[in-house]
């Protein structure tokens, strides 16, 4: 059994993130001592591995929980799908790298957008969700998204995240707390609006300062300079992703 600090050191996942996973029921500790210390066994670490693989594949936390809690979930079969998705992403990154080098060599006026087509990856992700996402919670989340029932709440939460990031402006954009909140921002966008890939997230960050309407809204939520601060934090996040 390992403590939450030992798990954090072993996996690189912050203690705060592990606490959050516990709070939302995604990764509950195996046991809690009388003093309130969380303890994790090997089975819990195995679940964490699966969670982290899904996170690398840009699955929102709510969908990961629904998949892992599905009665028919099979970790070995899910791993096969994760490997297939990772291979597709690896192939796509190679294509994007080759395209960027071609742009550098021949100029930036190449009107070819084939390298940005990720429909095969999205289709595979959809199949994975359909295969494992049979819980009532998963179906409810799809229905809420389909009918737009949570749109207003999602926008309010988005503004709240900008306000939280604005409150961290005294820190460097690279500060772990800022980067963790930036990751939460991306996760919220993916969960509530659309799949927010690294490329899309970077473009959004640039839009936050490039579009006066976005800048005014974000600065109103978090204070003057919040939009620019978010943009720098997002750039660093995407560079590391």
């Amino acid at each position: 059994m390992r403590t939450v600090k030992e798990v954090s050191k072993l996996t690189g996942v912050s203690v705060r993130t592990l606490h959050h996973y516990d709070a939302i029921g995604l990764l509950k500790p195996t046991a809690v001592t009388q003093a309130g210390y969380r303890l994790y066994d090997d089975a819990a670490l195995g679940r964490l591995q699966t969670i982290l693989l899904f996170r690398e594949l840009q699955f929102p936390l709510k969908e990961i929980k629904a998949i892992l809690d599905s009665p028919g979930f099979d970790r070995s079969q899910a791993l096969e799908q994760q490997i297939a998705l990772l291979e597709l992403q690896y192939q796509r990154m190679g294509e994007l790298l080759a395209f960027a080098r071609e742009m550098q060599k021949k100029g930036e006026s190449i009107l070819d957008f084939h390298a940005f087509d990720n429909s095969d990856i999205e289709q595979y992700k959809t199949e994975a969700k359909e295969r494992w996402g049979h819980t009532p919670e998963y179906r409810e989340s799809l229905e809420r998204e389909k009918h737009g029932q949570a749109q207003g709440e999602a926008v309010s939460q988005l503004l709240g995240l900008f306000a939280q990031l604005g409150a961290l402006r005294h820190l460097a954009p690279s500060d772990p707390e800022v980067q963790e909140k930036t990751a939460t921002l991306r996760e919220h966008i993916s969960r509530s609006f659309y799949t927010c890939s690294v490329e899309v997230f970077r473009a959004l960050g640039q839009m936050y300062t490039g579009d006066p309407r976005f800048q005014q809204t974000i600065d109103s939520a978090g204070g003057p300079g919040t939009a620019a601060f978010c943009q720098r934090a997002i750039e660093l996040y995407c560079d590391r992703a």
Side-chain angles (χ1 to χ4, degrees):
M1 300 280 275
R2 292 179 171 86
T3 66
V4 68
K5 288 185 177 180
E6 289 172 337
V7 172
S8 177
K9 184 176 180 181
L10 176 67
T11 64
V13 179
S14 71
V15 171
R16 179 176 295 185
T17 297
L18 291 170
H19 287 176
H20 177 60
Y21 286 176
D22 180 12
I24 64 176
L26 179 60
L27 181 68
K28 304 294 292 184
T30 308
V32 179
T33 68
Q34 290 184 346
Y37 293 107
R38 297 169 173 84
L39 298 176
Y40 298 83
D41 62 7
D42 289 345
L45 292 179
R47 181 178 172 100
L48 179 58
Q49 284 182 328
T50 303
I51 291 169
L52 295 179
L53 275 174
F54 274 123
R55 291 295 293 125
E56 287 296 324
L57 293 167
Q58 300 173 17
F59 279 67
L61 294 181
K62 187 173 184 178
E63 292 182 0
I64 297 174
K65 182 179 185 301
I67 290 172
L68 268 59
D69 291 345
S70 174
F73 178 74
D74 184 302
R75 187 183 177 195
S76 62
Q77 292 181 15
L79 183 59
E80 290 180 7
Q81 289 190 320
Q82 289 171 328
I83 291 171
L85 264 170
L86 287 167
E87 288 175 342
L88 284 173
Q89 289 194 345
Y90 179 78
Q91 177 183 345
R92 181 166 182 265
M93 289 306 298
E95 293 173 353
L96 284 170
L97 179 60
F99 177 71
R101 285 174 173 165
E102 189 72 8
M103 288 180 62
Q104 185 181 51
K105 180 179 179 181
K106 295 185 177 181
E108 299 179 2
S109 60
I110 301 175
L111 298 179
D112 181 2
F113 294 87
H114 176 73
F116 298 98
D117 181 9
N118 65 343
S119 57
D120 52 348
I121 296 176
E122 293 304 318
Q123 176 60 31
Y124 212 105
K125 288 172 67 175
T126 299
E127 292 175 3
K129 295 171 189 177
E130 290 176 349
R131 179 168 186 172
W132 302 115
H134 298 306
T135 64
E137 293 80 5
Y138 184 81
R139 290 196 297 269
E140 179 184 357
S141 69
L142 291 183
E143 286 300 313
R144 285 168 62 87
E145 180 179 354
K146 179 180 178 181
H147 297 293
Q149 294 174 358
Q151 192 72 12
E153 180 182 352
V155 172
S156 296
Q157 291 172 351
L158 180 64
L159 294 176
L161 287 171
F162 286 135
Q164 293 171 33
L165 278 163
L168 300 176
R169 282 174 294 155
H170 62 285
L171 301 174
S174 59
D175 186 271
E177 187 175 359
V178 176
Q179 286 298 301
E180 184 174 345
K181 188 63 64 176
T182 302
T184 301
L185 176 64
R186 179 188 174 196
E187 175 188 313
H188 176 71
I189 294 171
S190 288
R191 181 178 64 249
S192 303
F193 302 102
Y194 46 77
T195 300
C196 188
S197 66
V198 172
E199 295 87 354
V200 169
F201 199 36
R202 190 189 300 273
L204 275 175
Q206 295 169 353
M207 192 180 300
Y208 290 163
T209 54
D211 188 319
R213 295 168 298 178
F214 276 97
Q215 184 172 348
Q216 181 179 358
T217 299
I218 295 170
D219 284 354
S220 296
T226 299
F229 180 77
C230 289
Q231 193 272 329
R232 292 194 299 272
I234 289 171
E235 281 290 331
L236 287 171
Y237 172 91
C238 292
D239 288 341
R240 297 171 179 176

